[in-house]
Amino acid sequence: MSRRAATLTVASVIVLLLAVVGSVMPVPYVALTPGPTKNTLGTDDDGRPLITIDGRKTYPDEGHLNFTTVTYRGGPGGRIDLFTALTGWLDGDTAVVPEETIFPKDESQKQVEQENTRQMQNSQQSAEAAALRELGIDVATRVVIEDVQKDRPADGVLKPGDEITAVDGTKATSVTQIVDAMSAHDIGDTVNVTYKRAGKEHEAALKTVADPTGERAVVGIVLADQFKIPFKIDISVGDIGGPSAGLMFSLAIVDRLTPGSLTQGKFIAGTGTITPDGEVGAIGGIQQKMIAAREAGATIFLTPADNCPDARTARPDGLRLVRADTLHGTIQAINAINTGKGDVPGCE
């Protein structure tokens, strides 16, 4: 065998070995791809409505208000291999991001999934409150403890399910109010918390400690707003998690509770978190969500303002971007599209 042939043979063997190693070598990255998109005005795979409203007159709409999702591969429990990551980097429909972007180092995959489930539940409640407030329907609010962090000042004092009614003697009716009150304290200060348990009111004096960043004073509780809705609204989306469908849930509830068709038969998709007051927030995976929407047939995509720069550069052909700042403004924009009158904010 000539020297040249021998060199080529050795090189081929090395390349083959590298290929084999690369095909099984796990890497700390996650591949994000377009996920399922579901019509909040429609039904699930079993024919059940995604949103059911009982105790209030509802109205039909033949159009679409689809929320969009992202599917991921990888994570601490099943990392992708090097070749999958490289293929994803070359694929325009896939985003390959560092593992800690999705799975913080101090949280397990199961904890992340549980957090996503909690965020979806909170998103649904916020969406219901935002929709009803948009329609002028009164919604009462209370703040409850969802979780008490181990070895923090509240551990052994407060419990999940306790209702926080005041901080330092000032009445509190929202998570935002309580967070603001806590922010006024320095680390090491004592905060006085008034809470209800089993219908009885109690008080606790808790000495604050630093949060993981070392910048904020905390007592170690996870809070959530709970809303008293005057009739029954049920949102069922299976095992999909995260907060990013809030805007689309709110729009669907408003549409179902008002005469006429909000969509006018159009295929509208979108994304965005929602606060109980109707403020729309940014989400992750905007590129993959737009692709999923367009492939499903959407022609209009409702885009949170902070996601507009990325959405603008990755917009699929045939998809019109409509900037969503608030629930009220988004409804006005859809009506302007339907009538041809009024401003329609875009992502330009």
Side-chain angles (χ1 to χ4, degrees), residues 88-312:
W89 273 314
L90 297 173
D91 180 6
D93 292 354
T94 303
V96 179
V97 299
E99 190 175 81
E100 59 266 25
T101 304
I102 310 297
F103 302 98
K105 291 184 177 181
D106 58 344
E107 294 184 16
S108 67
Q109 189 160 343
K110 183 177 180 180
Q111 287 175 313
V112 170
E113 291 171 354
Q114 290 174 337
E115 174 63 13
N116 284 339
T117 298
R118 186 186 70 81
Q119 289 179 342
M120 171 59 82
Q121 293 170 345
N122 290 344
S123 174
Q124 292 174 0
Q125 292 187 38
S126 294
E128 293 171 10
L132 268 57
R133 287 171 176 172
E134 171 67 20
L135 296 173
I137 299 172
D138 186 53
V139 178
T141 309
R142 69 185 195 128
V143 183
V144 297
I145 297 176
E146 280 198 339
D147 189 29
V148 178
Q149 297 169 342
K150 189 174 177 58
D151 298 326
R152 295 282 184 155
D155 189 17
V157 180
L158 302 177
K159 295 181 179 181
D162 289 347
E163 177 185 355
I164 305 299
T165 58
V167 176
D168 296 326
T170 302
K171 185 178 179 181
T173 58
S174 72
V175 171
T176 301
Q177 287 178 318
I178 294 175
V179 170
D180 289 344
M182 288 296 299
S183 298
H185 283 275
D186 293 326
I187 297 168
D189 285 354
T190 297
V191 58
N192 296 296
V193 177
T194 306
Y195 63 98
K196 283 185 180 179
R197 180 184 298 165
K200 295 183 179 180
E201 198 162 77
H202 308 270
E203 290 192 6
L206 303 172
K207 187 175 181 179
T208 64
V209 296
D211 74 344
T213 69
E215 297 178 354
R216 293 192 307 117
V218 298
V219 295
I221 53 177
V222 178
L223 302 173
D225 289 320
Q226 285 192 352
F227 308 98
K228 187 175 181 180
I229 306 298
F231 46 89
K232 186 177 180 181
I233 302 176
D234 182 64
I235 301 175
S236 179
V237 294
D239 60 358
I240 295 173
S244 64
L247 170 62
M248 305 312 293
F249 290 148
S250 287
L251 288 169
I253 294 169
V254 169
D255 195 5
R256 293 287 306 282
L257 290 174
T258 51
S261 166
L262 177 62
T263 69
Q264 294 289 295
K266 295 179 178 62
F267 196 134
I268 301 172
T271 187
T273 64
I274 196 80
T275 70
D277 295 323
E279 298 290 331
V280 178
I283 52 79
I286 188 68
Q287 178 181 350
Q288 286 68 43
K289 290 178 178 179
M290 290 191 300
I291 293 170
R294 188 68 187 108
E295 289 179 347
T299 56
I300 297 169
F301 192 83
L302 307 176
T303 311
D306 288 345
N307 289 119
C308 272
D310 290 334
R312 185 170 58 247

Side-chain angles (χ1 to χ4, degrees), residues 301-332:
F301 192 83
L302 307 176
T303 311
D306 288 345
N307 289 119
C308 272
D310 290 334
R312 185 170 58 247
T313 59
R315 179 183 62 85
D317 291 339
L319 194 64
R320 180 179 183 179
L321 302 183
V322 175
R323 191 181 75 243
D325 300 300
T326 65
L327 174 61
H328 183 72
T330 302
I331 293 171
Q332 287 184 317

Side-chain angles (χ1 to χ4, degrees), residues 33-44:
T33 57
T37 173
K38 296 182 179 291
N39 185 12
T40 56
L41 299 173
T43 58
D44 62 17

